[in-house]
Amino acid sequence: KNQVEQSPQSLIILEGKNCTLQCNYTVSPFSNLRWYKQDTGRGPVSLTIMTFSENTKSNGRYTATLDADTKQSSLHITASQLSDSASYICVVSVVSGGSYIPTFGRGTSLIVHP
Amino acid sequence: GAGVSQTPSNKVTEKGKYVELRCDPISGHTALYWYRQSLGQGPEFLIYFQGTGAADDSGLPNDRFFAVRPEGSVSTLKIQRTERGDSAVYLCASSLTFGGEQYFGPGTRLTVT
């Protein structure tokens, strides 16, 4: 069964600190891996997208890495801000012909304290 | 421009009733997706449309769930004989083309009492 596991489940850090969120998946083969940020009561917003041939992608203070051999991805947040408090969701998708099969992780809940 | 909008934002209904949830995608986006998110969980794929047709409905949990997109723009998710287990946030997303970046709406929180 295709699965996406995220860790930690929740994380509390101080403003200005860095942190790294992990995503392990068993989806195979996959077409792309996305990281989303979801604020409470809002829909997810895409941060990065990577295909299996890419191993790093940056978006401002967010940097995602991908190791397709070990089926692991990480999201590194640099110099955290209070507005980074949200749930971060890893999504691995298989896109084949007309079929679209996304597998979502449960997310990591990040709280940034002043 | 306007993003994806969903109405209503909240819906409370009694067990056994019928509900309709509406999604207005970003203008010009051909692909539209429906997801369901339970508390503390990631979104769960339900169905996606390419134009007017349901290209993949493999995520619909059972035949009480149905979705339409008659003119290739607005979509309606319909749930018959609602059950308490249907309570969740229903998210809609659209993308310019199939497989492209998805833009999510704020969701409709459905509560079945």
Side-chain angles (χ1 to χ4, degrees), chain A:
Chain A
K1 179 182 177 182
N2 288 334
Q3 287 188 313
V4 175
E5 300 289 341
Q6 291 189 243
S7 61
Q9 183 175 344
S10 61
L11 181 63
I12 301 174
I13 62 174
L14 293 176
E15 185 179 13
K17 297 296 186 182
N18 303 336
C19 66
T20 300
L21 315 180
Q22 300 291 342
C23 173
N24 297 337
Y25 61 92
T26 60
V27 179
S28 181
F30 81 95
S31 298
N32 59 61
L33 184 148
R34 283 187 168 98
W35 282 93
Y36 285 92
K37 177 186 179 187
Q38 186 174 23
D39 293 310
T40 300
R42 310 291 292 272
V45 174
S46 180
L47 296 175
T48 63
I49 176 173
M50 289 182 290
T51 64
F52 70 92
S53 62
E54 298 176 288
N55 54 28
T56 188
K57 185 70 71 76
S58 291
N59 177 3
R61 294 180 298 103
Y62 301 102
T63 299
T65 64
L66 172 64
D67 186 333
D69 292 330
T70 62
K71 296 185 171 58
Q72 295 179 327
S73 177
S74 66
L75 181 69
H76 186 74
I77 305 175
T78 304
S80 60
Q81 300 176 359
L82 298 179
S83 59
D84 291 334
S85 295
S87 179
Y88 291 83
I89 302 173
C90 174
V91 186
V92 183
S93 299
V94 177
V95 179
S96 176
S99 175
Y100 165 65
I101 306 173
T103 304
F104 288 76
R106 291 188 175 188
T108 291
S109 176
L110 174 66
I111 298 174
V112 181
H113 278 312

Side-chain angles (χ1 to χ4, degrees), chain B residues 16-38:
Chain B
K17 299 292 187 182
Y18 167 83
V19 297
E20 290 189 353
L21 312 179
R22 176 187 169 110
C23 172
D24 282 81
I26 293 173
S27 178
H29 279 196
T30 61
L32 184 147
Y33 314 78
W34 282 100
Y35 300 89
R36 176 169 69 176
Q37 187 172 26
S38 300

Side-chain angles (χ1 to χ4, degrees), chain B residues 11-19 82 87 110-113:
Chain B
K11 176 70 176 178
V12 180
T13 190
E14 292 180 349
K15 178 176 179 294
K17 299 292 187 182
Y18 167 83
V19 297
T82 52
S87 297
L110 174 67
T111 303
V112 182
T113 62

